[in-house]
Amino acid sequence: MKVPVLDLKRQYQGLKHEIDAAVLSVLESQYFILGPEVEVLEKEIAEYCGAKCAVGCSSGSDALILALMGLGIGAGDEVITTPFTFFATAGSIAHLGATPVFVDIDPRTFNIDPARIEERITDRTKAILPVHLYGQCADMDPILEIAKKHGLKVIEDACQAIGAEYKGTKAGALGDVACFSFYPTKNLNGLGDGGMVTTNDEELGEKIRLLRTHGAKPKYFHAVVGINARLDAIQAAGLRVKLKHLDDWNDRRRE
C-alpha cells in the first residue's frame, strides 16, 4: 500500500463544505482577479505574520521576482543565497539579470551558514536571500547584523515556512521583505498556484503592488514596467478557509 506524503483529497473532504461555499461565492460574484477576496486575504496574512503589508501574487516564484524588482535589483547586481533550495530562489535572481552568489549550508540545519556570508560580499552585492527550508527559519540574527553592517537588503524565501517562528517572530516579518508560496503541496496550500509578499516597509509594499499589475495605476496608465503577477479570487477564497486551520496543521506536522 502506498501512503502519500500529502493527501490533498483527504484534506479537501474535511473542508469540502467550506471550500465549496467560498468558491461558489466567487463564481456568483464573477469577480475573478484581485478584488475583495484578495484584499481580505492580504490583511489576514499580514496580521498572521506580524507584517504591516501583504501583497497577493500569482506564485511563490513571482513573489521572489516582485520582491527583487521592488528593491531595484537587476543587471550587474549580486544576491547572496543558498544553493540548497528549489530552483526558483536562484532563478528569480538570474531572471532579472543579477547574479546568484552561493554560500554553503550549515549541515545541521540545511540553511545558509551565516559564518560564510561575509567573505562572499563584494561591491556588487545588493541583498542576502536566505531560505527558511522545510519550515525551519534560517539563523536570522547574524544575517541581519551582516546586512546592516554592509548596507544590504534581506529577502526571506519563506515559501516553505508560513507559520514558522524565529525567536518569537514569524517568518514574513524578519527581513526587509518576504515571499510565500501557496502551491498545492505547501502547508498553506491553494486550489492551484498563488503567492504572497510581506513587508514592514509600506512604501515598498505599494511599489510591489504596482509592479504585480504591469505597473498600472490607474488601469492602463503605467508608471513603471511591471509584470502580470496577480492573485485570483478563487485562490484567495480557498486560502482564507484554510488559513484558519494552518496552526493546527503545522502542529500535526511537528508531531
Side-chain angles (χ1 to χ4, degrees):
M1 177 180 174
K2 184 178 179 180
V3 179
V5 174
L6 181 62
D7 192 340
L8 293 176
K9 290 183 179 179
R10 182 177 178 184
Q11 186 195 65
Y12 168 63
Q13 289 300 324
L15 300 174
K16 177 176 170 57
H17 296 300
E18 289 180 83
I19 290 174
D20 288 359
V23 171
L24 182 60
S25 175
V26 174
L27 295 177
E28 289 175 344
S29 75
Q30 292 291 292
Y31 205 138
F32 293 121
I33 303 297
L34 299 178
E37 286 288 348
V38 173
E39 290 170 7
V40 175
L41 175 67
E42 289 172 339
K43 290 176 182 176
E44 291 173 345
I45 293 290
E47 183 177 353
Y48 180 82
C49 293
K52 291 181 180 178
C53 181
V55 182
C57 58
S58 48
S59 69
S61 300
D62 283 335
L64 288 162
I65 290 171
L66 286 167
L68 290 160
M69 289 177 71
L71 293 173
I73 291 168
D77 295 334
E78 294 178 351
V79 178
I80 290 174
T81 191
T82 168
F84 197 70
T85 178
F86 179 62
F87 178 82
T89 307
S92 62
I93 299 167
H95 181 80
L96 296 175
T99 301
V101 176
F102 294 120
V103 168
D104 208 351
I105 59 169
D106 181 332
R108 297 174 300 110
T109 65
F110 301 103
N111 284 324
I112 192 169
D113 185 348
R116 302 185 181 200
I117 290 176
E118 206 158 13
E119 65 191 41
R120 302 307 306 275
I121 294 174
T122 72
D123 58 2
R124 295 198 298 165
T125 306
K126 294 296 187 293
I128 305 171
L129 205 169
V131 177
H132 305 318
L133 199 67
Y134 306 136
Q136 179 172 237
C137 288
D139 190 4
M140 293 300 291
D141 279 352
I143 292 172
L144 293 168
E145 185 177 335
I146 291 166
K148 184 178 180 180
K149 177 181 175 181
H150 294 274
L152 307 176
K153 298 296 184 180
V154 176
I155 305 161
E156 299 172 69
D157 182 337
C159 287
Q160 297 184 358
I162 191 165
E165 292 187 3
Y166 178 82
K167 298 183 179 180
T169 300
K170 278 192 168 69
L174 293 162
D176 293 286
V177 62
C179 307
F180 294 96
S181 169
F182 302 130
Y183 188 76
T185 57
K186 304 298 183 181
N187 50 333
L188 180 59
N189 52 332
L191 309 176
D193 222 335
M196 190 75 66
V197 180
T198 60
T199 180
N200 282 315
D201 183 337
E202 293 179 294
E203 185 176 343
L204 176 60
E206 285 307 306
K207 184 177 181 182
I208 290 169
R209 200 178 301 280
L210 186 68
L211 287 166
R212 74 170 174 189
T213 54
H214 289 297
K217 187 179 181 181
K219 192 173 183 179
Y220 302 132
F221 289 83
H222 302 267
V224 295
V225 177
I227 59 175
N228 179 12
R230 301 168 298 194
L231 182 63
D232 74 72
I234 286 178
Q235 297 308 321
L239 288 163
R240 289 189 62 213
V241 171
K242 294 185 176 188
L243 180 60
K244 294 180 289 186
H245 302 274
L246 178 59
D247 286 339
D248 287 339
W249 290 342
N250 281 348
D251 287 342
R252 289 174 63 185
R253 282 179 178 237
R254 291 185 186 102
E255 287 177 15

